[in-house]
Amino acid sequence: MLPKTSQNTASEALASCRSAFVAVALFSALVNVLMLTGSIYMLQVYDRVLPSRSIPTLVALSLIMAALFILLGVFDWLRQRILSRIGVELDRKLGGPVLGAILGAQLRGLQGGSQLSRDLDSVRSFLSGMGPTTLFDLPWIPLYGGLCFVLHPLLGWTLVGGAAILIVLALLTELLSRRPSAEAARSGGERAAFIEAVRRNAEAVAALGMGNRVTRLFERINDRHVAANIGAADVTNGLGGISKTIRFMLQSAMLGVGAWLVMHDQASAGVMIAASVLSSRALAPIELAIGSWRPFIGARQGWGRLKQALVLANEQPRVAPDRPTQRLTLDHIFVAPPGVQTTTVKDVGFTLEAGQGLAVIGPSASGKSSLARALVGAWPVQRGSLRLDGATLDQWPEETRGAIIGYMPQDVQLFAGTIAENIARFDPAMTEDAVRDAARAAGAYDLIVGMPKGFDTPVGEAGGVLSGGQRQRIALARALYGDPFLVVLDEPNASLDADGDAALTGAIARVRARGGIVVVIAHRPSALASINQVLILADGQVQAFGPKEEVLRKSLAARPGSSGTAPSSSKVMVAADARG
């Protein structure tokens, strides 16, 4: 079945909560109607109970008042509970797509990918707080104002004047807090990214004596973040304090106007007290809105970033090509790091048939790892085409493409979990036989079963429990899991001993024997033992390509310093060692 097209995952997730928002609106209506209980109770006590001195009337009114306030509490609790569930539901539905958007932003070199997770947290926190209830209460302000007009027009106009002042303050809060709130979000992302970078490089920081320097760098970043937060807080807190003062003054003003009306026999004492309570209730949502404006701004900005990042997040409908079995073709491709214009791979083209193995060699910064990332689809091809059996990589859905390709990056990273889970790429449908076959194909079976818990051994965060060589052996098994057609290994023997080199050589040979294609990025000659093709790169361009013996013979014969595409002396040494 084809996947469903989604133009905006965020909007769809929010739309799925529409019935819950309707329920919140209904409970908010009931809450705001029941909020009239106090005013009506006071009006009846002052105008009916006190003049008549009727105890039964007072008891009856008090019982009705208590029952209505209990209902008010229940309805208010229900709407807050529903809003909390809405926040959790949005988090549940958007958590996966947000992670995918973060990964996509990282691969495309876009800034702010890590901010999306914090944006989702801010939206969930806002929905679970008092902010949404305030927004649902705002439309009911005219009800309280209208009742004040019913009691007396002068009371109504007094309330309208106070409300107008508070609305102006709310608009000022929006205008003045927008810029500092955006700056606080941006600086918060920078601070979080810096902390994460320090955490990942804690050992290097300690070993190189960089602790104090890193701390000073962090203090500068943190100072900007704190200053932005202070700016936003000053706006909301300052205007919030002014609005609270005005509300207190208005409540007293309503009492004063009511007293004036009572003295002129235009209203009763009950009307005076009820109008004061009504005004307090009418203006409370505006004051609360000003006080909660900062989280509202943060949630609104975060929601905007989420919507933009999650547009077309789902896979588009497509019929995927067959699993490739024949060849890999590169047609004059150009590759640049994500977000960078300078190309690191320039006009590279070659064809590999099933069963062939290619070693890509060359000096540092020659574009070898860039080529590897393009081969597995981690970096996009700017120009030219990269095809498996005539199909570009983006014609397969991500998980299907992952089963076709095996990749071992230069910087091996494992995920917290067991060895078996890491080998199986955390596939929920993994089988024991497939995991064992991958371990054997990588020559790591004996290594794994020799560990205390075998395949169930936890690797720790980032594989920290294992040595560098063990991580590379596990990563090689992960690359070979499921017998992928194209296997790309970037410096696969950087941390291997003699046994590991032998296992790597055997693994490459087995991939070729079953009809797969292997591409190895190599500096150490031992990685070339089971390879039949060699590509020499320099400055991102092909210097030589062809059968291993032929390319290495020509490289050895080339004179350093000659014109043309003759490799440097370092490449000649690599070629000589590999040939030997």
Side-chain angles (χ1 to χ4, degrees):
M1 183 176 179
L2 294 176
K4 182 181 178 181
T5 301
S6 174
Q7 293 299 318
N8 197 313
T9 306
S11 296
E12 285 191 348
L14 190 63
S16 68
C17 301
R18 185 181 294 111
S19 59
F21 280 114
V22 171
V24 172
L26 174 62
F27 285 125
S28 295
L30 295 173
V31 164
N32 279 277
V33 171
L34 290 173
M35 281 290 186
L36 299 173
T37 300
S39 299
I40 296 174
Y41 179 73
M42 287 183 180
L43 184 63
Q44 296 302 315
V45 168
Y46 274 93
D47 291 351
R48 293 180 181 274
V49 174
L50 292 181
S52 67
R53 298 181 179 274
S54 173
I55 299 299
T57 302
L58 177 62
V59 171
L61 288 174
S62 299
L63 290 175
I64 294 173
M65 177 269 298
L68 293 177
F69 273 130
I70 290 174
L71 284 176
L72 169 64
V74 171
F75 292 146
D76 193 35
W77 172 76
L78 285 173
R79 70 171 179 171
Q80 199 62 51
R81 185 179 177 88
I82 293 172
L83 284 170
S84 297
R85 299 303 187 275
I86 291 174
V88 171
E89 183 67 10
L90 283 177
D91 193 295
R92 185 185 67 82
K93 290 187 175 182
L94 295 181
V98 164
L99 179 59
I102 292 173
L103 293 175
Q106 181 70 21
L107 292 176
R108 292 191 298 272
L110 301 179
Q111 300 295 322
S114 59
Q115 176 68 32
L116 296 178
S117 178
R118 292 187 291 276
D119 289 337
L120 184 57
D121 289 339
S122 68
V123 171
R124 186 191 64 247
S125 298
F126 176 76
L127 289 176
S128 301
M130 295 300 297
T133 59
T134 302
L135 297 178
F136 278 104
D137 289 342
L138 286 174
W140 291 90
I141 293 177
L143 170 66
Y144 302 113
L147 289 175
C148 285
F149 274 101
V150 170
L151 295 177
H152 195 281
L154 186 57
L155 293 172
W157 286 115
T158 303
L159 177 61
V160 169
I165 295 174
L166 291 181
I167 290 173
V168 170
L169 289 176
L171 294 176
L172 285 176
T173 303
E174 158 70 11
L175 295 175
L176 297 179
S177 64
R178 184 181 301 171
R179 184 172 180 178
S181 295
E183 176 62 23
R186 187 191 63 80
S187 59
E190 289 182 358
R191 188 180 69 161
F194 185 82
I195 292 174
E196 176 61 20
V198 172
R199 187 192 68 82
R200 289 198 309 267
N201 297 280
E203 294 179 0
V205 170
L208 299 175
M210 297 170 58
N212 291 333
R213 301 169 193 174
V214 167
T215 300
R216 287 194 292 270
L217 287 173
F218 172 75
E219 288 173 349
R220 288 201 293 268
I221 296 173
N222 193 57
D223 286 345
R224 291 197 297 270
H225 179 61
V226 170
N229 275 280
I230 290 176
D234 285 346
V235 171
T236 55
N237 294 339
L239 294 178
I242 295 173
S243 67
K244 184 180 295 185
T245 301
I246 291 175
R247 187 170 70 87
F248 289 155
M249 292 175 61
L250 181 62
Q251 190 170 356
S252 297
M254 293 290 286
L255 279 173
V257 172
W260 187 86
L261 293 173
V262 170
M263 289 187 292
H264 287 77
D265 296 324
Q266 297 185 35
S268 65
V271 167
M272 177 183 69
I273 301 299
S276 177
V277 175
L278 281 173
S279 67
S280 176
R281 176 55 197 162
L283 301 180
I286 302 178
E287 180 189 342
L288 289 175
I290 295 174
S292 60
W293 207 265
R294 187 180 175 190
F296 169 69
I297 291 293
R300 187 180 66 181
Q301 292 174 343
W303 184 251
R305 287 189 291 266
L306 286 172
K307 287 182 66 177
Q308 183 177 4
L310 296 178
V311 170
L312 301 177
N314 289 349
E315 290 286 350
Q316 298 296 307
R318 60 168 62 117
V319 176
D322 290 331
R323 183 183 176 95
T325 58
Q326 299 176 18
R327 67 183 57 85
L328 164 69
T329 304
L330 276 67
D331 184 11
H332 301 287
I333 68 168
F334 290 76
V335 179
V340 178
Q341 296 299 320
T342 304
T343 56
T344 52
V345 173
K346 308 167 186 175
D347 198 26
V348 172
F350 59 82
T351 298
L352 294 176
E353 300 292 339
Q356 289 189 321
L358 172 69
V360 182
I361 62 177
S364 298
S366 60
K368 301 187 299 297
S369 292
S370 298
L371 177 60
R373 294 183 179 107
L375 288 174
V376 299
W379 284 9
V381 174
Q382 289 188 330
R383 291 164 52 191
S385 65
L386 189 158
R387 298 176 181 272
L388 292 173
D389 287 5
T392 56
L393 298 183
D394 58 4
Q395 294 184 38
W396 284 280
E398 181 179 320
E399 288 197 5
T400 305
R401 185 174 67 246
I404 295 170
I405 295 173
Y407 178 47
M408 179 178 171
Q410 187 174 3
D411 181 19
V412 172
Q413 295 288 336
L414 302 180
F415 293 92
T418 65
I419 290 177
E421 288 173 328
N422 274 276
I423 290 176
R425 310 177 185 183
F426 289 84
D427 182 3
M430 72 174 183
T431 63
E432 294 182 9
D433 289 341
V435 173
R436 285 192 293 263
D437 290 344
R440 289 192 179 97
Y445 181 85
D446 293 336
L447 168 70
I448 295 171
V449 297
M451 294 183 179
K453 294 185 178 180
F455 283 92
D456 291 328
T457 302
V459 303
E461 183 181 358
V465 174
L466 306 176
S467 68
Q470 289 173 329
R471 284 197 298 271
Q472 282 205 309
R473 301 279 289 276
I474 302 298
L476 178 59
R478 180 178 65 184
L480 300 178
Y481 178 77
D483 294 335
F485 173 68
L486 173 62
V487 178
V488 180
L489 309 175
D490 192 353
E491 299 288 350
N493 57 349
S495 301
L496 298 182
D497 54 14
D499 290 340
D501 275 336
L504 174 63
T505 299
I508 295 172
R510 282 186 286 273
V511 173
R512 293 182 57 195
R514 63 172 171 79
I517 293 175
V518 183
V519 178
V520 180
I521 311 300
H523 273 124
R524 291 172 55 179
S526 57
L528 279 65
S530 296
I531 295 297
N532 69 324
Q533 300 283 315
V534 170
L535 171 70
I536 300 178
L537 278 182
D539 192 28
Q541 296 178 314
V542 176
Q543 305 298 304
F545 171 75
K548 179 174 66 174
E549 293 298 328
E550 178 182 338
V551 171
L552 297 184
R553 184 175 64 252
K554 291 180 179 179
S555 298
L556 286 171
R559 291 177 299 172
S562 62
S563 60
T565 59
S568 65
S569 59
S570 61
K571 286 183 280 185
V572 174
M573 291 174 63
V574 169
D577 288 341
R579 189 179 184 189

